[in-house]
Amino acid sequence: MKKHIFNKAFAFGVSHKSIFAVAVLLTFPAVAMAGRPSLGIGYSNVGLTGHSGRPGVTITAGNLYSNSVVASGSATAARGFYSMNASIGKLVPAGAVSFVPYVGMDFLNVNYSQPQLPSATDFYGLAGVDMNVPIGTSVMLQIGGGYGHTLMTYGGNGGSVYQGKAEIGFEVAPNVTANINVRYVHIPGQSMTDEGAGLSYHFS
């Protein structure tokens, strides 16, 4: 029987403050023995409002459980920026494509070196949906977006949050996926565009 990248868990895809959170995010999706966990690491080019990109690193973890529940988490760190998120959703097949409606919690910190520019630390929740489009048996296109609201803010303004993303993944070896992705996040007073590429390992 042909294996399909769609049937694997996905994780498409550091400052000292991120180390503990990364450890939590890596263990969160894999707490159950059943399922198809994955781990990934990648390069990120984080572009902040009015600034050129800043090179950084992203660590990801995910698990597709036997009941089609999807859990995932990630942490990204670059100069003057770090973010962490965790989400849980449900894989819903719909013919040749599939959807993952999800809810998640995110933490984002922007710290500019110039005192005249606003810094922000926001903790927010959001809900959204991703759509997975298989292209053949070893390529997957994923697009999605979400909308939410800040729950706590430090040094910034509360308000609506929205994001969008697009990613394409390629199976380059057994249990190994390479991916290229772009993500846009808007929080009150700030915006971020994250372009990245990385590798994920999918445990059997």
Side-chain angles (χ1 to χ4, degrees), residues 81-97:
F81 173 87
Y82 59 90
S83 69
M84 293 156 279
N85 71 77
S87 67
I88 189 164
K90 179 77 170 181
L91 181 66
V92 181
V97 302

Side-chain angles (χ1 to χ4, degrees), residues 48-102:
L48 305 173
T49 303
H51 286 254
S52 58
R54 303 178 181 193
V57 63
T58 295
I59 299 174
T60 59
N63 198 18
L64 174 61
Y65 295 94
S66 57
N67 59 357
S68 297
V69 170
V70 177
S72 62
S74 70
T76 298
R79 181 174 57 86
F81 173 87
Y82 59 90
S83 69
M84 293 156 279
N85 71 77
S87 67
I88 189 164
K90 179 77 170 181
L91 181 66
V92 181
V97 302
S98 65
F99 296 88
V100 181
Y102 65 87

Side-chain angles (χ1 to χ4, degrees), residues 1 5 40 42 48 52 54 72 79-80 101 111 125 129 132 135 145 170-171 183:
M1 181 180 293
I5 191 173
L48 305 173
S52 58
R54 303 178 181 193
S72 62
R79 181 174 57 86
N111 185 16
V129 62
N132 303 303
I135 304 171
F170 310 86
E171 187 176 36
R183 176 173 174 246

Side-chain angles (χ1 to χ4, degrees), residues 107-148:
F107 176 83
L108 183 148
N109 177 270
V110 179
N111 185 16
Y112 291 111
S113 57
Q114 301 95 324
Q116 71 273 21
L117 295 175
S119 297
T121 301
D122 290 321
F123 179 68
Y124 57 92
L126 76 168
V129 62
D130 295 331
M131 180 175 70
N132 303 303
V133 182
I135 304 171
T137 59
S138 58
V139 179
M140 176 73 74
L141 173 66
Q142 183 184 76
I143 56 176
Y147 180 84

